[in-house]
Amino acid sequence: MAGGALIGRECNLYYNSGSYASPTWTLITRAMDVNLPVAAEYGDVSSRISIFKMQAKSQVVVGPLTFGYRYRQLQTDAVFDALRPMTFSNTKVEFAVCDTTIATTGAEYVRATYQLEMVIDQPMADGVKVDFTATVCSEEDTGTLREPTWVQV
């Protein structure tokens, strides 16, 4: 509903199966409970000029990006088949955490490059899921560092 309250299931998580310059955003339809904190670290800049402790933002901390993935046994699943091997290698992948369909005018999303790890969760009573943790990593394109960015379409 345009302009109304937004619930999580209306948002989308994508991974880039293309290149940085020409992304091909692939929707992760089985993603659950996506979480991407954006925080800051502060350094102490206090001095004798004041009795108050003073701090200054020293860096922005993005992530880790976490999400569950509803796993299905003996089913063809191109998304899981793409993500799973990334956890067993040094593969880097871009994710976009978006508030709507990514190509929609007015859409906004955080785009960053990550490396993956996973935990397979097999509870007795609930459906099996895989919990992914994606950590922002360093990646350069022709000498230019790719930093996390806020994108507005």
Side-chain angles (χ1 to χ4, degrees), residues 39 45 64 66 121 128:
V45 294
T66 60
D121 186 15
V128 173

Side-chain angles (χ1 to χ4, degrees), residues 18-77:
S19 68
Y20 183 77
S22 297
T24 301
W25 293 113
T26 302
L27 180 61
I28 304 174
T29 57
R30 296 191 169 281
M32 310 162 42
D33 302 326
V34 176
N35 184 282
L36 179 63
V38 179
E41 289 184 358
Y42 292 85
D44 187 352
V45 294
S46 302
S47 70
R48 293 179 182 163
I49 198 167
S50 174
I51 64 167
F52 295 99
K53 180 176 181 174
M54 301 293 184
Q55 295 184 318
K57 186 185 287 188
S58 60
Q59 58 187 337
V60 176
V61 181
V62 176
L65 165 64
T66 60
F67 61 96
Y69 189 88
R70 186 59 72 197
Y71 177 76
R72 298 176 308 151
Q73 181 183 28
L74 304 174
Q75 299 290 318
T76 300
D77 186 338

